[in-house]
Structure formats: C-alpha cells, structure tokens
Amino acid sequence: SVMAASSSASAPWLGTDDRRKKEPEVFQTVSDGLKKLYKTKLLPLEESYKFHEFHSPALEDADFDNKPMVLLVGQYSTGKTSFIRYLLEQDFPGMRIGPEPTTDSFIAVMHGDMEGVIPGNALVVDPKKPFRKLNAFGNAFLNRFVCAQLPNPVLESISVIDTPGILSGEKQRISRGYDFAAVLEWFAERVDRIILLFDAHKLDISDEFSEVIKALKNHEDKIRVVLNKADQIETQQLMRVYGALMWSLGKIVNTPEVIRVYIGSFWSHPLLIPNNRKLFEAEEQDLFKDIQSLPRNAALRKLNDLIKRARLAKVHAYIISALKKDMPAVFGKENKKKELIASLGDIYKRIEREHQISPGDFPNLKKMQDQLQAQDLNKFQPLKPKLLEAVDDMLAHDIAGLMVLVRQEETQRPNPVVKGGAFDGTLDGPFGHGYGEGAGEGIDEAEWVVSRDKPAYDEIFYTLSPVNGKVTGANAKREMVKSKLPNTMLGKIWKLADIDKDGMLDDEEFALANHLIKVKLEGHELPAELPAHLVPPTKRKIQE
C-alpha cells in the first residue's frame, strides 16, 4: 500500500491534468450539466468510499429530469389526501379518505394519459420514473407503494406524493415492516417541497411524527407547514393552537428562522366557522404562490441538492480514509475496530480541524457508529487526493457556470406556473383574491364609486382656496399629509390622481386622491395604474 500511496501522490505533478482544471465544462442545459458533473466528478468519489451503503443510493438520470415533487407528511386524518384532492379538483385512483388511518401506502400522484394505478414492484423497474432506488427498502415497502396516474392539468407541472398517516404511539413502529423514517428521508432528498399538515382541531405531535420531522434535518429550507381544518375552531382558540404549534415545532426543527405556516381549510366544504374567511383566503393565495414557484425554481433546487450531496460525500471520504489509516495491517483488527468506532467523535473533531469543515456538515454520529459495526474497515480505501480534487473543482468552477445557465433558462422559459385545479378558481372573476375590495371597490357598479364620499371631500377642497377650479400642489399636499402616510405613498397617490398631469388637482382629482388615501389607510395595496372604474367620468375621454 505504501507504493500505491506514493504513486497517487506523485501523479498531480505530471501535469497532464492541469489544463482541464482552468476550463469549466460547457453544458447545453442545467439538468444535462448536473447529470454529467455527477457522473464524472462526484460519483467516483461516492463509489470509492461506499457512500451509497451509508447515506443514500446513487442518483439516476430520472432524478435530474424529474418534475418538481411535493411531499405531504402528517398524522393520520389531518387531511393529506383531501388536500391533494382539493388541489387537483378531481379524485385520483387509489384514493381513500376517512377519519381512521386510511392511506396506508405511499401514493405518487403523477400525470398520465390514462387513469390507473401502477404497483410498487413495477414502478421501481421503470427507468423513466425517479423511483428505481426504492427497491432497496424491500418488499414490505414495495407492497405499500403505488403510483396513481391521471390526466390533470396541475400534474403537468408538479407531482404530489401522499404518505401514510403517521400513527400516534408505538403501534406502527412494530407493524410497518419497513423503515418509515428512512423512506421519508429518501423522498425528502429528492422533492422540492415538503408540506407538513397539522389538524387545528386536534393538535398533537406524536413521538413518531417528531422522529419523522427530525429525519428531515438538512431539508428545513424545503419545509412548509399547513395548519388545516382551522375553520372548525373560534379565532381565540385558533391563536392558541397556532402558538402551541410554533412552540412544539421550535423544539423539533433546529433552524434560526421561523417555519412558514399557512392556516386554512383545504377541502371543498363550507367553512364551519366563517369568521376568519379573509385570513384563510390570503393564506391560501400565499400557499398557492409558493407551490406555483416550484417549476421555476426546480433547476436551482436540483443544483442546491447536488452541492449538499457533494459536501457530505467529501466529509464521508475523509471519515472512511481516516478509519482505514488507523487500522492495523495484520493483528488486533477486531479490538482496534471497536476502539475506532467508540472514538469516532474525536475523529470527527480532527477532520474538522484539519480540513476546516463545519460541524454541521458531518453525518449523524450515532447512526454512523451503528453502520460501521457491520463494515470491514480493512476493505476501506485510503485517501485519494485526485478524487477529492475533482469534487472541489466541480464545486469551485463548474457549479458557478451552471448557476449562470440556471438564470438564463429561467428567463427564456415562458413563465411555468402550475395551472388547473384549485389554482384556476381564484385567478379572475369575482372570487379572485381581493376582488371588489380596496382599489377594486366599485369595479362593477355603474356610477363612479368616489362620488359617494365626494360631498365631504368637496367641503375640504373649497377650504384650500382653489383657483379656476383647481388647488395647487402645495395646498393639496398640506391636506394630504394629514393622513400621516409616508411621502413615498402620497407621491404615488398624487401620480395616480393627477390624471391630466398638470401639477394641480381639480375637485374630482382631489376626491380621487382622498379615496386612494382611504384605500391605503384601510390596509389595501395601491394599484400600479389607475383602474378604469376609478377614472373620474369627465376624464374618461383623456384616458382613451
């Protein structure tokens, strides 16, 4: 082994490879680039140090070409399947809904021309689907995994994965027959959004659920929380439940930022307690926007996940080669192995110092120790600088090139928003978000909406000494400032109200300015352009 080590160390001086390093690779598309980088630079490192046995199976082409996926996780009866039905506005094959734990399978809801269900064993041999590596979880899991295909416009841009309801208490650890948390972790690595559902009506986080949330460590940036069934309790209780939820999550999810929680009732039944309707509508819009941004950010997410993976693979290589280095060549192997596994924490610290790696990049210590028990440490590979250099080179040069490509692809693509299903219901028409409120008030009335309050505004107008029926900017400003709105806002209102752009306001323009101030003070947003129904009747010619 001494020979091998010296020859690999001397190779970099031969200079055959130095040219390549300066030129980052050129790729046609982001997913094409990610595939190539993964296969040529990261995969050799992973294979050399048994990364796949310890952490996660090798990535496949389908992982890079895949549509964005949304993973739904929650205790049973929190409304996961109803939530999917609500988004699609259509039943999907294999769907079962009920108060008892009904969904006992992982269901990947995907787009297909024909409605139908594909069983797990067939799914994991299909190279076009990103599920081939799931066969490692064994038959008990595959019998509980199906893909529901259906032609639905929402599914043209995203896929949704429904998971079995998490039970409370001990019973499922025994009865599942496969490692539930490990399967979820596998999905978490590959999806774009993880939505945790909670039931506002009966909020409790069972032990298994908190274990599951802990298994999602390192993917906190993908997690969003939905507090469902919030229409079943009064406002005061809702505030308490929301507070309790944030408090419990804070203990399980270790992030400095607050996780975003959306509150609402995500099914198509009437609201039980309609008091918070406006809140639910606004929250739903925000959640829809979040889901709709997924296709646009999909390439970036895949890039980000590849970087995370590369960092873990590097640390893993350092750990494995350090263990190999300390193993004796001939005698006392078993005892040394026990000793090394016991002192793995110190090895972590040494690697941290030697290679300036942050502690957060290391794999879980306890889990790593358990996995090492079954391994023959003598079969491990020593450190191969060449392999690590390739990964460093990828992180330093190639990824930057791909970032540029990501931005280009985003600008060239027609805005790929998720369409269909529930996403279309609130787009236009009277049930669009904020329709007929704020600046939209009076949109479908025959008379000018400002004329209702115009007499009151006129009284003020005539105290401002108008000349030829107009008040000057300075005089109008004195009055408008009384609203206490900041100058930036008042400036915007002035631009909207001064329709003929003469730097003065006549009685109609003045009334309009006051109306817009009222809109803003009531907490609504101002429009960028003046909507047609707010233009004063005598000015409508100017507009045309």
Side-chain angles (χ1 to χ4, degrees):
S1 78
V2 178
M3 276 296 296
S6 64
S7 70
S8 78
S10 65
W13 307 113
L14 302 179
T16 50
D17 217 31
D18 285 351
R19 273 191 337 277
R20 215 316 284 117
K21 273 211 194 90
K22 305 294 169 275
E23 300 287 307
E25 304 226 8
V26 181
F27 300 112
Q28 298 310 309
T29 67
V30 175
S31 66
D32 173 50
L34 290 171
K35 272 184 237 177
K36 231 183 228 151
L37 284 181
Y38 176 69
K39 282 192 187 129
T40 56
K41 300 199 168 172
L42 185 53
L43 189 60
L45 180 77
E46 292 183 353
E47 282 172 340
S48 192
Y49 297 104
K50 301 191 174 192
F51 181 85
H52 307 142
E53 288 177 38
F54 284 87
H55 303 292
S56 98
L59 297 178
E60 308 229 320
D61 283 357
D63 287 317
F64 296 108
D65 298 332
N66 194 12
K67 279 177 196 156
M69 292 198 284
V70 177
L71 177 71
L72 293 180
V73 185
Q75 278 168 219
Y76 70 93
S77 192
T78 45
K80 293 189 294 294
T81 310
S82 304
F83 180 79
I84 300 179
R85 202 202 160 295
Y86 181 71
L87 289 185
L88 304 184
E89 291 184 346
Q90 181 182 354
D91 289 354
F92 56 87
M95 164 179 120
R96 301 220 313 281
I97 292 177
E100 73 286 5
T102 39
T103 304
D104 59 348
S105 309
F106 281 80
I107 304 180
V109 186
M110 301 180 92
H111 188 270
D113 299 328
M114 302 287 294
E115 255 190 51
V117 172
I118 307 170
N121 286 299
L123 265 183
V124 294
V125 292
D126 179 354
K128 288 202 176 57
K129 297 256 188 309
F131 305 125
R132 294 200 348 181
K133 290 291 192 268
L134 281 168
N135 61 9
F137 292 107
N139 252 343
F141 167 70
L142 293 180
N143 294 334
R144 295 248 168 274
F145 177 45
V146 296
C147 172
Q149 287 196 319
L150 64 156
N152 181 294
V154 175
L155 298 173
E156 284 174 16
S157 36
I158 58 172
S159 306
V160 188
I161 292 163
D162 194 7
T163 59
I166 292 168
L167 310 170
S168 27
E170 270 300 296
K171 55 178 176 270
Q172 65 224 13
R173 281 207 194 85
I174 301 134
S175 62
R176 288 238 197 244
Y178 58 89
D179 188 341
F180 182 65
V183 174
L184 271 183
E185 205 175 334
W186 185 93
F187 275 111
E189 249 182 61
R190 288 162 179 76
V191 300
D192 297 66
R193 204 33 100 245
I194 301 166
I195 294 183
L196 302 180
L197 274 113
F198 292 91
D199 180 344
H201 196 47
K202 45 173 202 299
L203 181 68
D204 102 280
I205 301 186
S206 67
D207 299 348
E208 197 193 24
F209 199 9
S210 59
E211 249 174 57
V212 162
I213 299 176
K214 284 185 182 136
L216 303 176
K217 183 181 176 304
N218 294 340
H219 301 291
E220 286 91 356
D221 51 331
K222 297 179 182 178
I223 297 180
R224 300 285 182 277
V225 174
V226 168
L227 185 55
N228 203 3
K229 307 190 185 182
D231 61 320
Q232 302 187 5
I233 54 179
E234 296 284 352
T235 308
Q236 187 183 7
Q237 279 161 309
L238 181 58
M239 287 184 64
R240 292 203 180 128
V241 168
Y242 178 76
L245 172 66
M246 296 308 274
W247 187 76
S248 326
L249 282 176
K251 295 197 299 189
I252 310 172
V253 182
N254 301 321
T255 53
E257 4 352 282
V258 180
I259 282 194
R260 177 71 168 96
V261 176
Y262 300 93
I263 304 172
S265 163
F266 293 93
W267 64 343
S268 42
H269 293 235
L271 300 178
L272 263 180
I273 299 173
N275 310 356
N276 296 317
R277 183 182 189 117
K278 303 237 5 191
L279 168 72
F280 299 161
E281 283 174 7
E283 292 282 282
E284 180 181 281
Q285 284 311 110
D286 288 355
L287 177 62
F288 283 0
K289 276 196 193 111
D290 184 70
I291 295 175
Q292 287 177 315
S293 72
L294 295 179
R296 216 176 29 249
N297 302 330
L300 198 55
R301 193 274 309 167
K302 287 173 182 153
L303 187 66
N304 201 15
D305 281 354
L306 189 69
I307 296 172
K308 275 189 206 168
R309 190 179 172 104
R311 290 169 62 150
L312 179 60
K314 271 178 61 178
V315 174
H316 180 75
Y318 285 133
I319 296 169
I320 295 295
S321 55
L323 291 168
K324 164 76 176 171
K325 195 170 151 197
D326 292 348
M327 278 300 278
V330 193
F331 301 114
K333 290 181 185 176
E334 264 317 297
N335 290 345
K336 186 67 178 168
K337 174 176 166 179
K338 284 199 187 94
E339 186 190 312
L340 282 174
I341 292 177
S343 64
L344 189 61
D346 301 335
I347 295 176
Y348 275 18
K349 289 212 169 59
R350 194 174 78 209
I351 294 172
E352 223 178 282
R353 278 197 311 274
E354 277 178 28
H355 302 286
Q356 284 91 43
I357 293 170
S358 78
D361 284 355
F362 283 83
N364 178 311
L365 183 64
K366 170 102 186 57
K367 196 172 151 198
M368 193 74 177
Q369 286 170 320
D370 293 347
Q371 286 172 316
L372 284 167
Q373 302 292 352
Q375 296 278 350
D376 176 354
L377 305 198
N378 277 75
K379 295 233 168 77
F380 284 172
Q381 297 285 345
L383 197 61
K384 299 180 179 164
K386 263 304 216 1
L387 292 176
L388 281 157
E389 277 167 27
V391 174
D392 282 335
D393 178 44
M394 170 182 104
L395 290 171
H397 300 107
D398 301 316
I399 295 282
L402 274 181
M403 273 303 297
V404 177
L405 201 53
V406 167
R407 291 280 167 259
Q408 280 171 358
E409 274 187 19
E410 275 176 12
T411 48
Q412 283 159 9
R413 214 178 282 147
N415 209 0
V417 163
V418 182
K419 289 193 195 61
F423 295 100
D424 288 356
T426 56
L427 276 182
D428 304 306
F431 293 95
H433 185 53
Y435 182 89
E437 299 165 6
E441 192 188 349
I443 185 165
D444 31 25
E445 291 172 23
E447 67 162 332
W448 187 39
V449 63
V450 182
S451 55
R452 281 183 221 161
D453 299 323
K454 188 161 181 292
Y457 298 146
D458 279 352
E459 276 179 30
I460 304 171
F461 179 76
Y462 288 110
T463 62
L464 300 175
S465 46
V467 179
N468 300 334
K470 297 193 171 194
V471 296
T472 61
N475 287 350
K477 176 181 176 180
R478 266 211 308 280
E479 182 56 38
M480 288 167 73
V481 169
K482 290 181 186 166
S483 68
K484 300 195 174 58
L485 284 174
N487 279 349
T488 49
M489 270 301 126
L490 292 173
K492 190 170 176 185
I493 290 172
W494 176 274
K495 280 202 183 91
L496 292 171
D498 182 11
I499 291 167
D500 49 18
K501 306 274 180 282
D502 63 353
M504 299 167 92
L505 300 182
D506 63 20
D507 60 328
E508 287 182 331
E509 290 174 334
F510 182 74
L512 173 60
N514 278 292
H515 178 76
L516 290 171
I517 286 174
K518 186 181 91 177
V519 165
K520 186 64 195 160
L521 290 176
E522 283 171 359
H524 299 287
E525 286 307 311
L526 290 175
E529 313 244 312
L530 194 65
H533 69 276
L534 285 184
V535 177
T538 59
K539 301 274 191 308
R540 291 192 180 169
K541 311 270 179 306
I542 299 182
Q543 284 284 325
E544 288 157 19

